[in-house]
Amino acid sequence: MAETIELKTRSGLAFTTDVDGPVGGPLVLMLHGFPESRHSWRAALPVLAAHGYRAVAPDQRGYSPGARPDPADLSNYAFEKLIADAIEIAATAGYDGKRFHLVGHDWGGQVSWGVAGAHPERLASLTILSRPHPQSFRQALLREDGDQKHRSRHHRAFLEPETGKLLLADNAKRLRDGLFGQGVPSEALEEHLSVLGNPEALEAALAWYRSNKGLAADIGIITVPTLYIWGDADATVGPDAAYGTAQFVRSFAMEVLPGVGHFVMDQAPARTTDLLLAHLAKHPV
């Protein structure tokens, strides 16, 4: 059964983390996106544990109260620090210098692409949900005849100073209706809001966007064996960016989930976890 612990990294940050599975089993580090939390992985943790994996799902920088440097200083949320967090969390979990499996959704997927680009020797496998490779995303944004600019229009709003207050106003109505309006179950929504539904956490989460405008990241060809899972009803990631990801990954598999939106683990947890398990089995640590 999953246990919630605090993982204090060498940087002095304490990450609220759900863990499950045998200590010493192959590590599966799972990084959530926005506007979600470690609870994204609630369905996957016990299944991974039953298969002998050590599943570790932290609330990331800014989401964890003990890992929330001042978001007014955007350097605290620079992309390289988000990447370093993943490596340090793995070390604190008992896997310092060891290879592990990395899974990321949305912003956690962006960080995972960064880890795979900077530390390929550390990863046995990479699994990305929804978030395309940054270069594919950039290409799709620049297409004059594409729709990715429209799909990503909310990113610009996240840069405005009043956005946090607006998202939390009226019992977080905009978060509930706008960002979770893709079939996320109400119980999952409440779990995520238990982490993110306060001004301190939300401002820190928005600092990820403000520090990394346009989700720009200089990441080249990925050499880690990669599974990319995308729902074809994703309102924020279009087919240009999704299918274009293949050209930036040397060992690539893609699974398309029909009728599933952006929040893959909240909408299709069983199917997604089955795909993840098959990918992990193909690429043992």
Side-chain angles (χ1 to χ4, degrees):
M1 188 172 178
E3 175 187 9
T4 302
I5 64 173
E6 294 287 319
L7 287 179
K8 189 169 185 178
T9 66
R10 61 175 66 101
S11 297
L13 301 180
F15 292 87
T16 305
T17 305
D18 286 349
V19 297
D20 204 349
V23 175
L27 172 63
V28 183
L29 179 59
M30 315 186 84
L31 305 180
H32 65 81
F34 177 89
E36 296 189 288
S37 68
R38 70 186 192 279
H39 298 296
S40 299
W41 312 109
R42 76 187 77 74
L45 262 64
V47 180
L48 289 167
H51 284 78
Y53 294 101
R54 180 64 169 172
V56 173
D59 281 333
Q60 293 191 81
R61 178 178 288 242
Y63 294 75
S64 289
R68 189 175 293 155
D70 184 1
D73 180 354
L74 292 181
S75 68
N76 286 324
Y77 294 86
F79 192 53
E80 60 267 20
K81 291 186 178 179
L82 307 177
I83 292 172
D85 285 344
I87 296 298
E88 291 188 11
I89 289 168
T92 304
Y95 296 82
D96 193 10
K98 298 178 181 178
R99 296 207 317 152
F100 61 95
H101 301 283
L102 184 58
V103 185
H105 171 252
D106 184 76
W107 249 117
Q110 182 87 346
V111 174
S112 298
W113 288 120
V115 174
H119 306 281
E121 74 288 349
R122 294 295 308 280
L123 300 184
S125 77
L126 179 67
T127 303
I128 304 288
L129 282 53
S130 305
R131 173 58 53 196
H133 187 285
Q135 289 197 41
S136 182
F137 183 69
R138 188 180 306 156
Q139 284 185 355
L141 278 175
L142 293 174
R143 281 192 61 169
E144 291 297 330
D145 59 344
D147 68 349
Q148 189 59 55
K149 277 187 179 179
H150 178 73
R151 291 173 182 265
S152 299
R153 64 194 183 281
H154 58 285
H155 293 172
R156 291 189 295 274
F158 291 164
L159 305 181
E160 299 299 324
E162 295 300 308
T163 294
K165 290 179 182 178
L166 291 172
L167 290 176
L168 292 178
D170 193 16
N171 193 28
K173 179 174 173 55
R174 283 179 175 81
L175 274 178
R176 294 172 185 275
D177 296 348
L179 299 178
F180 286 116
Q182 292 195 61
V184 176
S186 60
E187 60 270 22
L189 190 152
E190 296 304 329
E191 283 185 321
H192 296 317
L193 286 177
S194 74
V195 174
L196 196 59
N198 63 83
E200 295 78 15
L202 188 55
E203 285 302 316
L206 290 171
W208 288 46
Y209 289 94
R210 293 163 178 166
S211 181
N212 302 278
K213 293 178 183 178
L215 278 70
D218 187 16
I219 298 168
I221 300 297
I222 298 299
T223 59
V224 178
T226 300
L227 170 65
Y228 179 54
I229 302 173
W230 175 69
D232 67 3
D234 192 324
T236 63
V237 176
D240 288 344
Y243 287 106
T245 293
Q247 65 185 298
F248 299 104
V249 184
R250 194 166 294 166
S251 175
F252 182 75
M254 181 174 177
E255 292 285 348
V256 178
L257 303 183
V260 174
H262 186 70
F263 300 102
V264 174
M265 276 301 301
D266 283 325
Q267 294 175 267
R271 175 62 176 148
T272 305
T273 302
D274 285 346
L275 291 170
L276 170 61
L277 279 171
H279 185 57
L280 300 183
K282 288 179 185 175
H283 306 285
V285 169

